[in-house]
Amino acid sequence: DTVVDLTREADEFTLAKRIYRSQEYQIGTSNENVQDFEALRYRLTVIKDAYPVLKIREFVDSLDLEQRYCVGEVSDDYGLSSIDLVVYPEEEPDSIQEVGLMRPRANFEQFYYTFPTGVRLVEGVNYAYYFRATDNDGIHKGKSSRSQVFRMRVLNEEEKGVKQLESQEKLLKGMDRTLEEYKREQEEYEAINKRQREKESLNFREQSQIREFLDKQK
């Protein structure tokens, strides 16, 4: 529906144009004797720049619930420009803190981050955080993708005391179970010794029981 003349310089004809969507076109040549001689048809296919892809795994420190270890993989079809962390209180989603993690120039990057490095947190507040990757799309000044949202509460002194008591209680229960198992093993050991003293020779089943007990002790 549109005819555009190419620019002529000597025997060369050129045309420069930005193409944002796939389209068909044809080139026809003309002179004083022939109009649109053997017009040739072509098609331009535009591959749109995709959004970055993020994969984040979070690991919780069982000894310190307020510290999280994050492992991330970020990829983009044409290249990345930045990877950032965004943190905010759950009740105040507009009060965000941003931490720049990387400025990669490749199309794939793996990174590690320990939360809350570089972030100011207040006790007794629930926080949410996610990772954001931005590509190097020059037309849109970079397109961004977000990871899933992770959540964590910063405990106050009273909550820390309760957690510590729960941890101690769990530890004591574990010690009680270990002591009970030890008592059962001692009873089993004494029963085996008694059988050995009472009998001159043990049958196959009794010998197997002794081997199983020794393996368990190891």
Side-chain angles (χ1 to χ4, degrees):
D1 62 350
T2 303
V3 178
V4 180
D5 291 332
L6 278 65
T7 302
R8 178 178 182 177
E9 294 183 6
D11 291 334
E12 291 186 353
F13 296 83
T14 60
L15 173 66
K17 186 178 182 181
R18 283 182 176 268
I19 304 297
Y20 298 104
R21 58 184 178 82
S22 299
Q23 62 184 47
E24 295 182 349
Y25 68 97
Q26 66 180 11
I27 296 178
T29 57
S30 304
N31 60 19
E32 63 272 13
N33 299 313
V34 179
Q35 291 293 317
D36 296 326
F37 177 71
E38 293 185 354
L40 303 176
R41 299 181 67 88
Y42 299 92
R43 179 174 177 80
L44 280 171
T45 301
V46 175
I47 302 175
K48 293 186 178 181
D49 189 7
Y51 280 79
V53 177
L54 293 88
K55 295 180 181 179
I56 309 293
R57 292 181 294 163
E58 181 194 58
F59 302 92
V60 180
D61 189 340
S62 59
L63 300 179
D64 185 359
L65 299 178
E66 294 181 10
Q67 186 159 282
R68 309 293 173 88
Y69 302 99
C70 301
V71 180
E73 291 183 356
V74 185
S75 60
D76 186 72
D77 49 358
Y78 287 106
L80 299 160
S81 64
S82 66
I83 301 173
D84 304 288
L85 171 75
V86 180
V87 185
Y88 58 91
E90 286 192 316
E91 295 182 358
E92 300 179 49
D94 294 331
S95 300
I96 64 172
Q97 297 181 59
E98 296 188 14
V99 179
L101 302 180
M102 298 187 72
R103 293 291 181 266
R105 295 302 175 192
N107 58 359
F108 175 82
E109 193 68 52
Q110 187 176 54
F111 67 94
Y112 304 89
Y113 172 73
T114 303
F115 185 86
T117 303
V119 180
R120 301 179 306 278
L121 303 180
V122 178
E123 290 185 352
V125 176
N126 296 318
Y127 286 92
Y129 66 95
Y130 61 87
F131 296 87
R132 182 183 64 212
T134 305
D135 66 11
N136 61 359
D137 187 339
I139 297 174
H140 301 93
K141 297 182 180 180
K143 300 190 306 301
S144 297
S145 295
R146 297 180 178 183
S147 71
Q148 68 269 45
V149 176
F150 302 95
R151 291 175 171 80
M152 190 201 76
R153 177 174 177 81
V154 180
L155 304 179
N156 55 35
E157 290 302 321
E158 182 179 351
E159 292 169 331
K160 289 179 181 178
V162 172
K163 285 290 182 182
Q164 187 174 7
L165 289 175
E166 291 176 352
S167 178
Q168 291 174 349
E169 184 180 359
K170 185 177 180 181
L171 178 62
L172 289 173
K173 288 182 179 179
M175 293 175 65
D176 289 341
R177 285 196 299 270
T178 301
L179 184 60
E180 291 174 1
E181 291 174 1
Y182 173 76
K183 289 179 179 178
R184 284 197 300 270
E185 288 181 356
Q186 285 299 107
E187 292 173 358
E188 188 177 350
Y189 175 71
E190 291 173 2
I192 289 173
N193 273 340
K194 183 179 180 181
R195 283 199 299 271
Q196 284 182 317
R197 289 194 300 269
E198 293 175 350
K199 291 186 176 182
E200 295 182 358
S201 61
L202 301 175
N203 59 35
F204 177 78
R205 178 173 172 274
E206 292 168 333
Q207 292 176 3
S208 298
Q209 287 179 340
I210 293 175
R211 281 195 296 269
E212 289 176 5
F213 177 77
L214 293 176
D215 289 340
K216 189 187 297 182
Q217 290 291 86
K218 290 180 181 179

